[in-house]
Amino acid sequence: MVTGTSVVAFKYRDGIMMAADCLGSFGSQARFRNENRFMQVGSNTLLGASGDISDFQYMKHALDDLLTHEYDMDDGQSMGTKSVYKYVSNIMYGRRNRFDPLWNAYVVGGVDGGEAFLGYTNLYGTTYQSDCIATGFGAHFAIPILRKRVDGRADEISEEEAVNILDECMRVLLYRDCRTINKLRRAKVTAQGVEISEPYVLETNWSIADNVVGYGA
């Protein structure tokens, strides 16, 4: 089983900002180092995935089939972010009820009707919406940072500040999560569409390790 770890996402002034690393872990082996755990769905929706990469591929095929059906209808309508979120959530809940869950946690973000939307669902079919969401270890280490820097001021955060917040969260996760690397992808969703960056390397500083008791012993 190849798995991916945390996805971190939050609302900012222009829409949604999201980040994930590029590692696909085979057990404890850092096997694949150029994974893309994002998927653009339609023109203004982004899906981010944690967990089993093969189950994520299943979801991607399901969404591709849905988009093909929508295109074939040729009725001038397109699926909004909330509709995509409901569809993904229903698949997750349905698979859970058949005792054959998809071992993933998904973050669905986008701009729907001029408003930023951010929602979460997981293998149990649990769903919620929030201004800031993180999966995996991010739910423990990134959420406190996001609540401090994002909650109540999402409409004030510029793109530059949003990038800095993302990098801060991902840097903390790199120091704490042994199933991640410092090669990341960043994505944003605005009214103009979805942009997914090429992989980039996050700068780190391990000098603090000398102060950890037992390090190097």
PDB file of all heavy atoms in Angstrom, residues 105-126:
ATOM      1  N   ALA A 105      -8.599  10.534   3.425  1.00  0.00           N
ATOM      2  CA  ALA A 105      -9.237  11.748   3.921  1.00  0.00           C
ATOM      3  C   ALA A 105      -9.111  12.771   2.803  1.00  0.00           C
ATOM      4  O   ALA A 105      -8.022  12.944   2.237  1.00  0.00           O
ATOM      5  CB  ALA A 105      -8.569  12.246   5.194  1.00  0.00           C
ATOM      6  N   TYR A 106     -10.222  13.411   2.451  1.00  0.00           N
ATOM      7  CA  TYR A 106     -10.233  14.348   1.329  1.00  0.00           C
ATOM      8  C   TYR A 106     -10.552  15.760   1.799  1.00  0.00           C
ATOM      9  O   TYR A 106     -11.383  15.967   2.697  1.00  0.00           O
ATOM     10  CB  TYR A 106     -11.272  13.936   0.286  1.00  0.00           C
ATOM     11  CG  TYR A 106     -10.921  12.692  -0.478  1.00  0.00           C
ATOM     12  CD1 TYR A 106     -11.631  11.513  -0.296  1.00  0.00           C
ATOM     13  CD2 TYR A 106      -9.868  12.691  -1.391  1.00  0.00           C
ATOM     14  CE1 TYR A 106     -11.296  10.359  -0.995  1.00  0.00           C
ATOM     15  CE2 TYR A 106      -9.533  11.554  -2.090  1.00  0.00           C
ATOM     16  CZ  TYR A 106     -10.249  10.387  -1.893  1.00  0.00           C
ATOM     17  OH  TYR A 106      -9.911   9.254  -2.582  1.00  0.00           O
ATOM     18  N   VAL A 107      -9.895  16.722   1.164  1.00  0.00           N
ATOM     19  CA  VAL A 107     -10.214  18.131   1.336  1.00  0.00           C
ATOM     20  C   VAL A 107     -10.699  18.652  -0.015  1.00  0.00           C
ATOM     21  O   VAL A 107     -10.004  18.501  -1.021  1.00  0.00           O
ATOM     22  CB  VAL A 107      -8.986  18.941   1.805  1.00  0.00           C
ATOM     23  CG1 VAL A 107      -9.374  20.413   1.988  1.00  0.00           C
ATOM     24  CG2 VAL A 107      -8.433  18.377   3.107  1.00  0.00           C
ATOM     25  N   VAL A 108     -11.893  19.216  -0.021  1.00  0.00           N
ATOM     26  CA  VAL A 108     -12.462  19.787  -1.243  1.00  0.00           C
ATOM     27  C   VAL A 108     -12.563  21.296  -1.055  1.00  0.00           C
ATOM     28  O   VAL A 108     -13.199  21.775  -0.115  1.00  0.00           O
ATOM     29  CB  VAL A 108     -13.857  19.206  -1.543  1.00  0.00           C
ATOM     30  CG1 VAL A 108     -14.433  19.834  -2.818  1.00  0.00           C
ATOM     31  CG2 VAL A 108     -13.795  17.688  -1.687  1.00  0.00           C
ATOM     32  N   GLY A 109     -11.899  22.027  -1.933  1.00  0.00           N
ATOM     33  CA  GLY A 109     -11.908  23.482  -1.839  1.00  0.00           C
ATOM     34  C   GLY A 109     -12.208  24.113  -3.176  1.00  0.00           C
ATOM     35  O   GLY A 109     -11.933  23.533  -4.233  1.00  0.00           O
ATOM     36  N   GLY A 110     -12.782  25.285  -3.140  1.00  0.00           N
ATOM     37  CA  GLY A 110     -13.065  25.975  -4.391  1.00  0.00           C
ATOM     38  C   GLY A 110     -13.801  27.275  -4.161  1.00  0.00           C
ATOM     39  O   GLY A 110     -14.039  27.697  -3.021  1.00  0.00           O
ATOM     40  N   VAL A 111     -14.165  27.902  -5.255  1.00  0.00           N
ATOM     41  CA  VAL A 111     -14.950  29.134  -5.239  1.00  0.00           C
ATOM     42  C   VAL A 111     -16.271  28.823  -5.914  1.00  0.00           C
ATOM     43  O   VAL A 111     -16.316  28.487  -7.095  1.00  0.00           O
ATOM     44  CB  VAL A 111     -14.221  30.284  -5.946  1.00  0.00           C
ATOM     45  CG1 VAL A 111     -15.094  31.526  -5.971  1.00  0.00           C
ATOM     46  CG2 VAL A 111     -12.893  30.578  -5.265  1.00  0.00           C
ATOM     47  N   ASP A 112     -17.354  28.887  -5.148  1.00  0.00           N
ATOM     48  CA  ASP A 112     -18.681  28.494  -5.615  1.00  0.00           C
ATOM     49  C   ASP A 112     -19.636  29.666  -5.449  1.00  0.00           C
ATOM     50  O   ASP A 112     -19.884  30.110  -4.330  1.00  0.00           O
ATOM     51  CB  ASP A 112     -19.172  27.292  -4.796  1.00  0.00           C
ATOM     52  CG  ASP A 112     -20.309  26.552  -5.472  1.00  0.00           C
ATOM     53  OD1 ASP A 112     -20.952  27.137  -6.352  1.00  0.00           O
ATOM     54  OD2 ASP A 112     -20.554  25.382  -5.128  1.00  0.00           O
ATOM     55  N   GLY A 113     -20.135  30.173  -6.563  1.00  0.00           N
ATOM     56  CA  GLY A 113     -21.041  31.315  -6.495  1.00  0.00           C
ATOM     57  C   GLY A 113     -20.399  32.557  -5.926  1.00  0.00           C
ATOM     58  O   GLY A 113     -21.055  33.365  -5.261  1.00  0.00           O
ATOM     59  N   GLY A 114     -19.090  32.712  -6.166  1.00  0.00           N
ATOM     60  CA  GLY A 114     -18.371  33.882  -5.677  1.00  0.00           C
ATOM     61  C   GLY A 114     -17.892  33.762  -4.245  1.00  0.00           C
ATOM     62  O   GLY A 114     -17.243  34.684  -3.730  1.00  0.00           O
ATOM     63  N   GLU A 115     -18.181  32.640  -3.575  1.00  0.00           N
ATOM     64  CA  GLU A 115     -17.767  32.441  -2.190  1.00  0.00           C
ATOM     65  C   GLU A 115     -16.797  31.268  -2.088  1.00  0.00           C
ATOM     66  O   GLU A 115     -16.970  30.242  -2.751  1.00  0.00           O
ATOM     67  CB  GLU A 115     -18.982  32.166  -1.297  1.00  0.00           C
ATOM     68  CG  GLU A 115     -19.948  33.334  -1.188  1.00  0.00           C
ATOM     69  CD  GLU A 115     -21.086  33.047  -0.229  1.00  0.00           C
ATOM     70  OE1 GLU A 115     -21.112  31.920   0.317  1.00  0.00           O
ATOM     71  OE2 GLU A 115     -21.929  33.929  -0.036  1.00  0.00           O
ATOM     72  N   ALA A 116     -15.784  31.428  -1.222  1.00  0.00           N
ATOM     73  CA  ALA A 116     -14.829  30.343  -0.988  1.00  0.00           C
ATOM     74  C   ALA A 116     -15.508  29.249  -0.178  1.00  0.00           C
ATOM     75  O   ALA A 116     -16.275  29.516   0.749  1.00  0.00           O
ATOM     76  CB  ALA A 116     -13.604  30.870  -0.250  1.00  0.00           C
ATOM     77  N   PHE A 117     -15.214  28.009  -0.556  1.00  0.00           N
ATOM     78  CA  PHE A 117     -15.788  26.849   0.136  1.00  0.00           C
ATOM     79  C   PHE A 117     -14.676  25.869   0.459  1.00  0.00           C
ATOM     80  O   PHE A 117     -13.794  25.611  -0.360  1.00  0.00           O
ATOM     81  CB  PHE A 117     -16.829  26.157  -0.751  1.00  0.00           C
ATOM     82  CG  PHE A 117     -17.385  24.882  -0.162  1.00  0.00           C
ATOM     83  CD1 PHE A 117     -18.505  24.913   0.646  1.00  0.00           C
ATOM     84  CD2 PHE A 117     -16.766  23.661  -0.409  1.00  0.00           C
ATOM     85  CE1 PHE A 117     -19.006  23.744   1.207  1.00  0.00           C
ATOM     86  CE2 PHE A 117     -17.257  22.487   0.152  1.00  0.00           C
ATOM     87  CZ  PHE A 117     -18.388  22.527   0.957  1.00  0.00           C
ATOM     88  N   LEU A 118     -14.726  25.296   1.673  1.00  0.00           N
ATOM     89  CA  LEU A 118     -13.721  24.329   2.086  1.00  0.00           C
ATOM     90  C   LEU A 118     -14.389  23.256   2.942  1.00  0.00           C
ATOM     91  O   LEU A 118     -15.007  23.571   3.969  1.00  0.00           O
ATOM     92  CB  LEU A 118     -12.609  25.025   2.879  1.00  0.00           C
ATOM     93  CG  LEU A 118     -11.332  24.229   3.156  1.00  0.00           C
ATOM     94  CD1 LEU A 118     -10.646  23.824   1.859  1.00  0.00           C
ATOM     95  CD2 LEU A 118     -10.372  25.064   4.017  1.00  0.00           C
ATOM     96  N   GLY A 119     -14.279  21.987   2.489  1.00  0.00           N
ATOM     97  CA  GLY A 119     -14.923  20.902   3.218  1.00  0.00           C
ATOM     98  C   GLY A 119     -14.026  19.683   3.340  1.00  0.00           C
ATOM     99  O   GLY A 119     -13.070  19.511   2.576  1.00  0.00           O
ATOM    100  N   TYR A 120     -14.365  18.818   4.297  1.00  0.00           N
ATOM    101  CA  TYR A 120     -13.572  17.633   4.620  1.00  0.00           C
ATOM    102  C   TYR A 120     -14.468  16.410   4.653  1.00  0.00           C
ATOM    103  O   TYR A 120     -15.632  16.481   5.067  1.00  0.00           O
ATOM    104  CB  TYR A 120     -12.923  17.834   5.995  1.00  0.00           C
ATOM    105  CG  TYR A 120     -12.303  16.598   6.616  1.00  0.00           C
ATOM    106  CD1 TYR A 120     -10.958  16.300   6.433  1.00  0.00           C
ATOM    107  CD2 TYR A 120     -13.057  15.733   7.415  1.00  0.00           C
ATOM    108  CE1 TYR A 120     -10.379  15.175   7.021  1.00  0.00           C
ATOM    109  CE2 TYR A 120     -12.490  14.613   8.002  1.00  0.00           C
ATOM    110  CZ  TYR A 120     -11.156  14.339   7.802  1.00  0.00           C
ATOM    111  OH  TYR A 120     -10.589  13.226   8.378  1.00  0.00           O
ATOM    112  N   THR A 121     -13.952  15.272   4.213  1.00  0.00           N
ATOM    113  CA  THR A 121     -14.611  13.991   4.424  1.00  0.00           C
ATOM    114  C   THR A 121     -13.544  12.912   4.546  1.00  0.00           C
ATOM    115  O   THR A 121     -12.419  13.079   4.055  1.00  0.00           O
ATOM    116  CB  THR A 121     -15.595  13.662   3.286  1.00  0.00           C
ATOM    117  OG1 THR A 121     -16.328  12.475   3.619  1.00  0.00           O
ATOM    118  CG2 THR A 121     -14.871  13.440   1.960  1.00  0.00           C
ATOM    119  N   ASN A 122     -13.901  11.797   5.208  1.00  0.00           N
ATOM    120  CA  ASN A 122     -12.907  10.734   5.426  1.00  0.00           C
ATOM    121  C   ASN A 122     -13.519   9.356   5.213  1.00  0.00           C
ATOM    122  O   ASN A 122     -14.649   9.227   4.738  1.00  0.00           O
ATOM    123  CB  ASN A 122     -12.281  10.856   6.814  1.00  0.00           C
ATOM    124  CG  ASN A 122     -13.293  10.664   7.933  1.00  0.00           C
ATOM    125  OD1 ASN A 122     -14.427  10.233   7.723  1.00  0.00           O
ATOM    126  ND2 ASN A 122     -12.870  10.975   9.153  1.00  0.00           N
ATOM    127  N   LEU A 123     -12.782   8.307   5.551  1.00  0.00           N
ATOM    128  CA  LEU A 123     -13.208   6.944   5.277  1.00  0.00           C
ATOM    129  C   LEU A 123     -14.462   6.544   6.039  1.00  0.00           C
ATOM    130  O   LEU A 123     -15.136   5.579   5.660  1.00  0.00           O
ATOM    131  CB  LEU A 123     -12.084   5.962   5.584  1.00  0.00           C
ATOM    132  CG  LEU A 123     -11.756   5.629   7.046  1.00  0.00           C
ATOM    133  CD1 LEU A 123     -10.891   4.362   7.088  1.00  0.00           C
ATOM    134  CD2 LEU A 123     -11.034   6.759   7.748  1.00  0.00           C
ATOM    135  N   TYR A 124     -14.804   7.259   7.107  1.00  0.00           N
ATOM    136  CA  TYR A 124     -16.031   6.970   7.852  1.00  0.00           C
ATOM    137  C   TYR A 124     -17.244   7.698   7.274  1.00  0.00           C
ATOM    138  O   TYR A 124     -18.363   7.488   7.742  1.00  0.00           O
ATOM    139  CB  TYR A 124     -15.871   7.374   9.322  1.00  0.00           C
ATOM    140  CG  TYR A 124     -14.703   6.722  10.007  1.00  0.00           C
ATOM    141  CD1 TYR A 124     -13.595   7.474  10.385  1.00  0.00           C
ATOM    142  CD2 TYR A 124     -14.696   5.349  10.272  1.00  0.00           C
ATOM    143  CE1 TYR A 124     -12.512   6.875  11.015  1.00  0.00           C
ATOM    144  CE2 TYR A 124     -13.614   4.749  10.900  1.00  0.00           C
ATOM    145  CZ  TYR A 124     -12.533   5.510  11.265  1.00  0.00           C
ATOM    146  OH  TYR A 124     -11.452   4.913  11.882  1.00  0.00           O
ATOM    147  N   GLY A 125     -17.007   8.575   6.308  1.00  0.00           N
ATOM    148  CA  GLY A 125     -18.088   9.400   5.787  1.00  0.00           C
ATOM    149  C   GLY A 125     -18.349  10.632   6.625  1.00  0.00           C
ATOM    150  O   GLY A 125     -19.328  11.343   6.414  1.00  0.00           O
ATOM    151  N   THR A 126     -17.462  10.895   7.589  1.00  0.00           N
ATOM    152  CA  THR A 126     -17.578  12.113   8.401  1.00  0.00           C
ATOM    153  C   THR A 126     -17.357  13.341   7.529  1.00  0.00           C
ATOM    154  O   THR A 126     -16.450  13.361   6.697  1.00  0.00           O
ATOM    155  CB  THR A 126     -16.532  12.096   9.534  1.00  0.00           C
ATOM    156  OG1 THR A 126     -16.729  10.930  10.332  1.00  0.00           O
ATOM    157  CG2 THR A 126     -16.645  13.336  10.405  1.00  0.00           C
TER     158      THR A 126
END
